[in-house]
C-alpha cells in the first residue's frame, strides 16, 4: 500500500477572514482525499481550533528575535503587570520593509523576508510531496513555502490589487503553479507579470454548498434583524471593515435611501480597523435606527438567507466569497460593477451591477424594494444556477499527485 501524499499548507490564522475560512474548507477537502496534511503557520489558538480539522497536524514555528517578529508582521505582546497588550505594527512593518527594498534588487531579492525565515526555528526539514502557500497577499508565508523542500509547489493570488507583489515576486519562480481565484485576477496577473504566465491558472476557491445551506437553517434571534411589523426592505452585507471593502459607500447609500423615503433595515456583519470610523459615519448621518454594525458572528447565514437583498460595495475583489454565499442562499445581490462580480452576477437577472456611486446603488435597492415579483424572479434564477465555481476540478488533484505532466 502506497504512502499517503504529504501536503504542507502555509496559512496564517490571526482572524476569521475570507482567506482563513477558505483555508479551513481547503484543509477539509485535502483531508477527505486521504492526504497527510500539515499546516505551517502562526495564529490565534481559538481561530486554529475552529477552522483547522482536528486530524490535521499543526506546526507553529518559533520566531527568534523581536526584529524578525516586527518585520514579518507577527503579533508583538507587551506585558504590563497582569495586563497584556498586543501592539498593532502592520503599517510600521510594511514601511520598514519598503525602506529595506531600497537597498536591493526587489525583483529577485527580499532581504526582509529572507531575514525573517532565517530566524524561524521548528520548520519541517523533511521533504513534502507538495507545499501550498494558500496565504498569498505578499505575506511572509510565501517565503516560508519557498524555503520548505517539496517536489511540487503552488501559491495563490487572491485579489486583483498587486501592491503586495514586491514582497512575493522574488519567490514566485520557485512555484510550479500560481493559482488565481478568478478569470479577472488571472488576466491582470498575466498582463502585469507575463514572465509567470505559463504558470498561472484559474482555480476558484471551493465552497461547501450543503454546509452553508444547512447553517442558514439554524435558529437565531430575529433572523431578519427587525420586528415582525416592518414592511420595508431588509439588507445584509458581510465584509471586513477595511478600506478595500468600502463599507463607507454602503453608509452613503443608506443615507440616499433615507432621503428617498425607502423603508429599510441594513445589517453589516464583520469587524476591522475601520469600525470606529464607520460607526461615527452612521451616527453623523442619523442612520442608527436603519443601519447596524453587528460585528463578527459565528453564523451570519440565516440573516443572509432571510434578507431581501445582499449588498457588496467593494472597491476590488479577487472573487468575492460573500457574494457567492449570498447567491448560494438565493438572495438577490446588488454590487459594484467590478470584474470579479461580473463573473458571478447576471445583471438584471440574479442581481444588479452598479457604478461605485451611492445614488446608483440606492436606485437599484429601491427597485427591488418596490417590486417583490422581481425579487422572487431573481431568487428563482439563483436557485436554478449550477455554477462550476464551488468545487475543485480533477486537474488540480492531478497536479498535487504529480499526474499532470
Amino acid at each position: 500500500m502506497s504512502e499517503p501524499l504529504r501536503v504542507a499548507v502555509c496559512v496564517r490564522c490571526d482572524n476569521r477572514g475570507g482567506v482563513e475560512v477558505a483555508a479551513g474548507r481547503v484543509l477539509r477537502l485535502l483531508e477527505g482525499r486521504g492526504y497527510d496534511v500539515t499546516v505551517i503557520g502562526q495564529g490565534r489558538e481559538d481561530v486554529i481550533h475552529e477552522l483547522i480539522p482536528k486530524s490535521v497536524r499543526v506546526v507553529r514555528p518559533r520566531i527568534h528575535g523581536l526584529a524578525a517578529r516586527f518585520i514579518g508582521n507577527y503579533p508583538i505582546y507587551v506585558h504590563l503587570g497582569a495586563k497584556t497588550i498586543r501592539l498593532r505594527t502592520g503599517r510600521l512593518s510594511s514601511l520598514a520593509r519598503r525602506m529595506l527594498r531600497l537597498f536591493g534588487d526587489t525583483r529577485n531579492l527580499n532581504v526582509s523576508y529572507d531575514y525573517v525565515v532565517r530566524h524561524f526555528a521548528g520548520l519541517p526539514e523533511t521533504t513534502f510531496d507538495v507545499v501550498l502557500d494558500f496565504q498569498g497577499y505578499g505575506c511572509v508565508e510565501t517565503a516560508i513555502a519557498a524555503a520548505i523542500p517539496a517536489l511540487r509547489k503552488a501559491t495563490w493570488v487572491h485579489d486583483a490589487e498587486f501592491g503586495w507583489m514586491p514582497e512575493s515576486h522574488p519567490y514566485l519562480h520557485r512555484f510550479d503553479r500560481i493559482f488565481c481565484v478568478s478569470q479577472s485576477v488571472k488576466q491582470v496577473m498575466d498582463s502585469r507579470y507575463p514572465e509567470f504566465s505559463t504558470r498561472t491558472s484559474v482555480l476558484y476557491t471551493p465552497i461547501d454548498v450543503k454546509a452553508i445551506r444547512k447553517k442558514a437553517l439554524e435558529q437565531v434571534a430575529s433572523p431578519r434583524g427587525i420586528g415582525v411589523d416592518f414592511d420595508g426592505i431588509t439588507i445584509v452585507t458581510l465584509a471586513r471593515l477595511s478600506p478595500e471593502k468600502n463599507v463607507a459607500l454602503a453608509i452613503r447609500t443608506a443615507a440616499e435611501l433615507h432621503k428617498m423615503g425607502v423603508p429599510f433595515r441594513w445589517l453589516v456583519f464583520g469587524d476591522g480597523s475601520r469600525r470606529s470610523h464607520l460607526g461615527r459615519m452612521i451616527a453623523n448621518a442619523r442612520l442608527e435606527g436603519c443601519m447596524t454594525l453587528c460585528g463578527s458572528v459565528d453564523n451570519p447565514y440565516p440573516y443572509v438567507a432571510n434578507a431581501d437583498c445582499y449588498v457588496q460595495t467593494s472597491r476590488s475583489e479577487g472573487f468575492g466569497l460573500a457574494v457567492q454565499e449570498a447567491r448560494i442562499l438565493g438572495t438577490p445581490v446588488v454590487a459594484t460593477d467590478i470584474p470579479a462580480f461580473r463573473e458571478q452576477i447576471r445583471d438584471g437577472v440574479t442581481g444588479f451591477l452598479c457604478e461605485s456611486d451611492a445614488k446608483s446603488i440606492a436606485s437599484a435597492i429601491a427597485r427591488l424594494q418596490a417590486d417583490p415579483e422581481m425579487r422572487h424572479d431573481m431568487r428563482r434564477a439563483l436557485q436554478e444556477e449550477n455554477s462550476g465555481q464551488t468545487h475543485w476540478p480533477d486537474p488540480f488533484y492531478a497536479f498535487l499527485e504529480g499526474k499532470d505532466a
Side-chain angles (χ1 to χ4, degrees), residues 181-403:
V181 298
S182 67
Q183 294 286 351
S184 57
V185 167
K186 184 181 187 306
Q187 289 169 6
V188 177
M189 178 73 188
D190 290 348
S191 173
R192 296 190 186 182
Y193 303 98
E195 64 269 33
F196 299 118
S197 61
T198 58
R199 306 184 190 201
T200 62
S201 61
V202 176
L203 188 68
Y204 293 107
T205 301
I207 192 165
D208 193 333
V209 174
K210 290 183 179 178
I212 288 172
R213 289 175 175 164
K214 182 179 179 180
K215 281 183 147 185
L217 297 175
E218 291 181 6
Q219 296 296 313
V220 294
S222 186
R224 284 169 59 83
I226 54 175
V228 294
D229 57 343
F230 179 71
D231 61 357
I233 190 168
T234 58
I235 308 165
V236 167
T237 294
L238 309 182
R240 184 172 60 253
L241 303 184
S242 55
E244 69 275 9
K245 299 301 181 181
N246 204 10
V247 176
L249 176 56
I251 295 172
R252 293 195 294 273
T253 299
E256 286 293 329
L257 289 172
H258 192 63
K259 288 180 188 175
M260 294 165 64
V262 175
F264 70 94
R265 294 292 183 272
W266 196 328
L267 305 180
V268 180
F269 293 95
D271 219 330
S273 60
R274 304 284 288 174
R275 180 163 185 172
S276 296
H277 171 74
L278 296 171
R280 288 193 296 272
M281 282 187 67
I282 290 173
N284 292 339
R286 299 183 179 179
L287 295 170
E288 292 100 326
C290 305
M291 192 174 201
T292 305
L293 299 180
C294 302
S296 296
V297 296
D298 292 336
N299 180 16
Y301 300 124
Y303 300 97
V304 177
N306 285 280
D308 295 309
C309 101
Y310 180 88
V311 175
Q312 197 80 41
T313 54
S314 304
R315 289 193 178 95
S316 67
E317 291 277 0
F319 181 65
L321 287 178
V323 166
Q324 185 182 36
E325 290 165 347
R327 291 167 53 215
I328 286 169
L329 295 174
T331 304
V333 176
V334 176
T336 43
D337 187 7
I338 59 176
F341 294 156
R342 290 177 210 140
E343 291 186 43
Q344 298 201 57
I345 299 166
R346 290 180 286 160
D347 192 29
V349 179
T350 59
F352 290 115
L353 294 170
C354 306
E355 296 178 10
S356 296
D357 173 80
K359 290 184 179 179
S360 174
I361 300 170
S363 295
I365 295 171
R367 285 181 64 186
L368 289 174
Q369 191 274 331
D371 194 340
E373 187 174 345
M374 178 187 290
R375 299 201 301 268
H376 174 77
D377 291 343
M378 286 184 173
R379 284 189 179 276
R380 185 170 58 190
L382 285 164
Q383 290 164 0
E384 293 172 353
E385 280 189 334
N386 183 19
S387 173
Q389 301 167 341
T390 60
H391 62 276
W392 270 344
D394 291 338
F396 171 71
Y397 295 108
F399 161 73
L400 294 186
E401 297 166 9
K403 300 175 181 177

